């Protein structure tokens, strides 16, 4: 639940400079109450009164209030399959510093992963030039489920079966900043909704594919409220006699549409220079079955979740335009007529989607709640 100050900051982020009267109406508070909120935000350095003014028709034009992006910063840490991504952003998600670190999955323990994340975070803090007092907290994106408190990762792949690992406790102790966790692809969906391709969408489904395939759902409500949740599209079964999946079942979408099975289909060990999906789509016979399964899963997801916008990210977001054209042609006929206005687009927060999503989680928790 946002405070009045948090609502004011969120409105200035989303709409740009606003007059005090516009802010009071949008928040639903009296003019004197808004004056108190505005004066506090100005005193704290969150906002400033701009030179540009808006004519009200009576008396002097009213100055507008504008967000100061450099007032607050957060760190975003993304734990992906085989890598840790890190960014330091201002409160408009502009990147001040970034870093990516590769992991050896076979030899890496969860303690190694966290130690690398701490080194990455400290490096960004030390080299960015941002005063530490302006860094409000850390958002963390992890694969797998997160407990309701946002402090423990329940089944991250690199935890090697260790359930409920206390990511937040460890990172807070090492870095001295508050921490909040989120499912990584859900965090990406939030960032795209607030800062990227999903602005204005009522319900956004972001589908991310690299070493695995997952999705995050964002649903916008009244007054800037929203709900977010993870959607395990990669573990929808698409083949009766398919390959074993790390989830414990077999024939999941992820066993045919993710990095390793596509590399095996292409008979190569490295991502082709012109893109994994471009190379896979050139294998028309093999790709036909994979694409058909993808459409089946998207049709089911659309029927159940009713997204206004489907975003493709990761390797899917780097695919040739033909993939989007095919999906725009084939998916609508597979769903009910009232669901067909949905749009299919590329995510725009690349290549740091995971870390930017994590930073967005941090901004929402430590800056925009007020």
């Amino acid at each position: 639940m946002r405070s009045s100050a948090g609502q004011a900051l969120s409105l200035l982020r989303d709409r740009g400079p606003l007059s005090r009267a516009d802010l009071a109406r949008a928040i639903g508070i009296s003019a004197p109450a808004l004056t108190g909120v505005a004066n506090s935000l100005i005193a704290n350095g969150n906002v400033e009164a701009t030179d540009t003014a808006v004519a009200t028709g009576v008396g002097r034009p009213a100055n507008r209030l504008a967000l100061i992006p450099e007032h607050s910063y957060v760190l975003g840490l993304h734990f992906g399959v085989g890598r840790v991504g890190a960014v330091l952003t201002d409160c408009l998600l502009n990147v001040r510093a970034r870093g990516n670190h590769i992991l050896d999955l076979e030899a890496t323990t969860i303690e190694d992963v966290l130690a690398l994340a701490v080194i990455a975070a400290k490096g960004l803090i030390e080299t960015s030039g941002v005063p530490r007092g302006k860094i409000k907290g850390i958002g963390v994106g992890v694969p797998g489920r997160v407990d309701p408190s946002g402090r423990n990762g329940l089944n991250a792949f690199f935890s090697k079966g260790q359930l409920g690992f206390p990511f937040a406790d460890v990172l807070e102790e090492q870095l001295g900043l508050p921490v909040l966790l989120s499912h990584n692809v859900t965090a990406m969906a939030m960032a795209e909704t607030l800062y990227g391709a999903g602005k204005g969408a009522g319900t956004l489904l972001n589908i991310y594919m690299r070493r695995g395939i997952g999705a995050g759902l964002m649903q916008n409500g009244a007054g800037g409220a929203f709900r977010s949740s993870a959607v395990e599209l990669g573990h929808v079964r698409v083949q009766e006699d398919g390959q074993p999946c790390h989830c414990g079942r077999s024939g999941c979408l992820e066993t045919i549409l993710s990095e390793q099975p596509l590399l095996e289909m292409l008979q190569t060990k490295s991502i082709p220079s012109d893109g994994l999906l471009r190379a896979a789509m050139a294998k028309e016979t093999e790709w036909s079955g994979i694409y058909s399964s993808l459409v089946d899963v998207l049709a089911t997801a659309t029927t159940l979740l009713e997204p206004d916008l489907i975003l493709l990210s990761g390797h899917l977001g780097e695919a040739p335009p033909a993939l989007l054209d095919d999906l725009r042609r084939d998916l609508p006929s597979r769903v009910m007529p009232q669901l067909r206005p949905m749009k299919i687009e590329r995510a725009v927060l690349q290549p740091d989607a995971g870390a930017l999503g994590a930073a967005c989680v941090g901004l929402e928790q430590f800056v925009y709640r007020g």
Side-chain angles (χ1 to χ4, degrees):
M1 190 75 170
R2 286 187 174 91
S3 66
S4 294
Q7 291 182 66
L9 290 172
S10 300
L11 286 163
L12 294 173
R13 174 197 63 196
D14 298 337
R15 300 186 189 179
L18 294 169
S19 70
R20 286 173 170 81
D22 288 338
L23 278 172
R25 281 192 293 270
I27 297 171
I29 59 177
S30 67
L34 191 281
T35 296
V37 170
N39 288 344
S40 176
L41 292 175
I42 291 172
N44 290 334
N46 296 94
V47 304
E48 61 184 349
T50 67
D51 292 334
T52 59
V54 57
T56 61
V58 179
R60 293 189 308 168
N63 286 328
R64 297 186 181 190
L65 297 177
L67 198 64
I68 301 175
E70 300 82 9
H71 174 265
S72 301
Y73 291 80
V74 296
L75 282 159
L77 297 174
H78 172 235
F79 296 93
V81 181
R83 70 184 67 193
V84 171
V87 295
L88 179 66
T89 81
D90 67 19
C91 67
L92 291 182
L93 207 67
N94 298 310
V95 176
R96 183 66 175 261
R98 57 165 51 89
N100 284 287
H101 305 267
I102 304 302
L103 299 170
D104 179 349
L105 287 180
E106 297 303 319
T108 300
T109 66
I110 193 167
E111 290 78 15
D112 294 332
V113 174
L114 285 165
L116 182 59
V118 168
I119 291 170
K122 288 182 176 179
L124 295 191
I125 294 171
E126 292 169 0
T127 61
S128 68
V130 174
R132 187 178 179 89
K134 289 191 173 186
I135 303 173
K136 305 303 181 183
I138 305 171
V140 179
V142 298
R145 293 184 300 125
V146 172
D147 74 350
S149 72
R151 300 192 60 80
N152 303 298
L154 298 181
N155 58 340
F157 64 91
F158 47 76
S159 60
K160 315 274 192 207
Q162 185 174 353
L163 300 179
F165 190 85
F167 285 87
D169 289 347
V170 174
L171 291 171
E172 286 178 351
E173 180 180 354
Q174 294 291 319
L175 295 170
L177 289 165
V179 172
L180 184 71
L181 269 66
S182 174
H183 173 254
N184 55 2
V185 185
T186 304
M188 296 178 207
M190 181 188 297
E192 289 286 351
T193 297
L194 296 175
Y195 302 95
K199 288 183 178 180
T203 301
L204 178 150
L205 181 66
N206 181 54
I207 303 164
Y208 181 82
M209 190 274 279
R210 288 210 184 273
R211 294 285 287 269
I213 184 166
L217 184 73
M218 278 288 297
Q219 297 171 302
N220 282 313
F226 55 80
R227 293 179 60 240
S228 61
S229 58
V231 183
E232 293 292 354
L233 291 188
H235 299 292
V236 175
R237 195 176 192 188
V238 295
Q239 293 181 336
E240 289 295 327
D241 55 351
Q243 294 296 312
C245 180
H246 70 84
C247 73
R249 303 194 308 157
S250 62
C252 297
L253 179 63
E254 190 171 296
T255 65
I256 61 172
L257 183 61
S258 58
E259 280 186 6
Q260 192 56 40
L262 292 181
L263 289 173
E264 291 175 2
M265 182 187 80
L266 296 169
Q267 299 182 333
T268 182
K269 294 183 178 180
S270 58
I271 304 297
S273 59
D274 59 349
L276 181 60
L277 266 292
R278 183 180 298 276
M281 291 169 66
K283 298 278 190 179
E284 294 184 9
T285 301
E286 294 89 340
W287 175 251
S288 175
I290 297 170
Y291 173 75
S292 177
S293 294
L294 173 61
V295 175
D296 285 344
V297 171
L298 289 183
T300 299
T302 300
T303 299
L304 294 174
L305 303 174
E306 301 186 16
D308 306 306
L309 175 63
I310 296 173
L311 290 183
L312 305 182
S313 57
H315 288 302
L316 292 171
E318 298 161 3
L323 177 59
L324 280 80
D325 293 340
D326 290 346
L327 288 173
R328 290 166 180 158
R329 180 196 66 218
D330 297 332
L331 184 57
S333 64
R334 302 289 303 277
V335 301
M336 296 181 293
Q338 62 267 35
L339 302 178
R340 291 175 188 173
M342 105 284 283
K343 296 181 180 179
I344 302 172
E345 304 289 350
R346 299 179 194 274
V348 298
L349 298 178
Q350 304 268 31
D352 297 315
L356 287 170
C360 182
V361 169
L363 288 173
E364 286 301 298
Q365 177 70 15
F366 304 120
V367 176
Y368 288 107
R369 284 186 180 270

